[in-house]
Amino acid sequence: MILQGRTISRGKAVGEVIKLEEPLSFLGGVDGATGELRVEKEGNVADRVLVFPRGKGSTVGSFVMYDLMVHGKAPFAVINSSAETIVATGAVISSIPMIDSVDVDLLHDGDKVIVDADRGTVDIIDVNVIECSSSVLMIGDRFLMLHRPSTARSYPGRWSLVSGKMEDGESPEDTARREIMEETGIMVGESSGTMDALIVRENDVIWKVHPFIFTVPDGTVPRINSENTEYRLCSIDDLDGLELVPLTKDAIVKLTGMI
Amino acid sequence: MQLTDKEQAILDGESGEGAQKAMELVVALGKIYRADGLVDITSAHLSGASYKTIGDGGLKYLEDMVAGGAKVSVNSTLNPIGMDRERWSEMHISESFAVKQNRIVELYGMMGIQKTCSCTPYVGPNVPKLGDHVAWAESSALSFVNSMIGARTNREGGPGALAAAILGKTANYGLHKTENRKPTVIIEADIGDSLFEHSLLGQAVGMRVGGGIPYYRGIKPGIEEGKTMAAAMAAAGAVAMFHVEGVTPEASNYDISELEVIHIGKDELKDAYEKVNTVDDVELIALGCPHLTEKEIHEIASLLKGRKKKGDTEIWFCTSKAIRDRCADDVKILEEFGPVLADTCMVVAPIEGTFSRTGTNSCKAGNYLPTLCSQKAMCRDIVDLMKVIS
């Protein structure tokens, strides 16, 4: 799975991810001589692909990165959601490949990745990419939400749109229509809208989700199959109390805005 | 970001590795701030000069830059360092610190940077003109030249400013562009004439406007007042530019009729005062943040002339070497009370090894003494501070 980001500091690297969930100050956050982390998470940045949302703290952090390089303890590469000057400066002067504008939620500790900072890409290897469709089914002015059983293999117990994996030779929209038929017994025609695929990480799987919106007449009654335990017809406000599959609300807001 | 063919060639390494690295850094920073291209600069001012702040990583970086043949291509000056280069022992500095600090200055010199180390280069060796694009680090100095002179710079960091100085170019965004220099808020200042009240004014405004561009009414700052206000605003907030009605060169260029007006008077100065005062008695008094001008040295000498040093409190007067040399008679009077130190200040010197409570007349120092030097701080008018030691 190749993620496209933006070049900050050029170079290439192959390595294993060490991931921090919080913004990092190199000054105080990393020991310049040993590479040991001094934050809540334990570990060492040396010879790893260091992934964190963004830098923070003192500008001296740039020189801590240089110190790491001098001691042979620098990370192989740095990946941020959004670069700021301290880490960018440190990466460039220390010749550490760096890219930003990458969704760091897609990268997990221990992932093996190939970073090509000249092109601004990071390739996650050994991860299973599964394409699927996910549909907002409008019944009148409400949309259908389905509750997954606690035994579901992906996102158990969460509320989702009508979703399912693509089969060989199927187009994303065909998948959407088939899944709606299987899971609700409703036959739909052309979709009323779509958007760019969403990428979601769940453990060792990256879901590439093709979202669609379909409309059927008010009063149509869904007959759900065993893949789900319950359905609700919702408005946006009804979602607040529900535990949703990631990005569901964003997709609903965007797609319902198209019709 | 659009690069010219020549700039792209430098990025591709055709002018050598040093220039390539510099270009890579300027381009990376430009991308972060969505610059549309590069702009030619006429001067640079670099931070990252004190061994205390840059450490061994910074020292090695400079060694490697010099080994790679890096040279600046525009007039470039350096921020204060961690000690007076001759009188460091009077500052309780260790020899190992002094050796490394001197090496840092030497390395900057080898790259063609002037070895006067000051946060007020605009009073001497580095004076930009109205409309000049420059690449300056040091938050107080860059705000001063943006505002009081009308030169154009963003808040550069140490390595970024060095890279710009090597190339003679920096990324074109932010305050390099006329449309980003307009005021964002009007400050109606109702304060007295003293320098300290101007510092408190800067503190009060910095606390309120963050990274905005204040437009002042009701004050007529000269160099000293502009210097202390710029310093306090940058330390208490992130102000990189301000306008003063009837004083600064770009103040009348913009329509300000729609802007919010904030009143700063006695009550607001009192809040600012409380923010920067955490102690009432001190072991060290340090003046010269930013560095003392000739006029300030003369005024201090007038206050102290004919008086005697009293008590155990040490006092340092911080300025640049050039200004110390120019004020020989006044310096003699000051020296009766404490050292007149050149090229350093209490914020970048490692005072935390010797002192724990420091007094100053600068709100900038009042902000940084607790965080960078582990000090409790006392901020007072200079007249009150002189009473402590004389």
Side-chain angles (χ1 to χ4, degrees), chain A residues 6-10 60 62-63 66-67 70 83-85 88-89 92-93 95, chain B residues 11 20-21 24-25 28-29 31-34 53-54 57-58 60-61 64 159:
Chain A
R6 186 170 70 151
T7 303
I8 296 295
S9 172
R10 298 195 284 190
V60 180
S62 307
F63 294 125
Y66 203 84
D67 222 9
V70 170
E84 49 60 69
T85 50
T89 297
V92 173
I93 66 175
S95 301
Chain B
L11 188 59
Q20 183 183 25
K21 278 310 246 189
E24 206 183 333
L25 181 51
L29 298 175
K31 273 188 195 172
I32 292 171
Y33 294 105
R34 314 220 171 273
T53 54
I54 69 170
K60 182 71 169 76
Y61 164 67
D64 292 345

Side-chain angles (χ1 to χ4, degrees), chain B residues 147-191:
Chain B
S147 312
M148 301 291 282
I149 295 177
R152 299 180 170 213
T153 180
N154 289 311
R155 289 165 67 99
E156 300 262 1
L162 177 57
I166 290 167
L167 297 169
K169 290 168 187 290
T170 194
N172 191 22
Y173 67 92
L175 294 174
H176 289 289
K177 293 173 169 288
T178 303
E179 65 267 27
N180 298 326
R181 297 171 68 83
K182 51 182 177 224
T184 59
V185 59
I186 295 172
I187 306 294
E188 293 272 7
D190 180 13
I191 67 163

Side-chain angles (χ1 to χ4, degrees), chain A residues 11 25 27 43 54 70 80 84 96 111 138 159 170 178 201 205 216 236:
Chain A
S25 168
L27 184 69
R54 64 186 171 281
V70 170
N80 280 179
E84 49 60 69
I96 300 169
D111 282 351
M138 298 297 299
W159 288 84
E170 215 175 24
R178 178 176 53 73
R201 177 77 185 254
V205 175
V216 295
I236 289 282

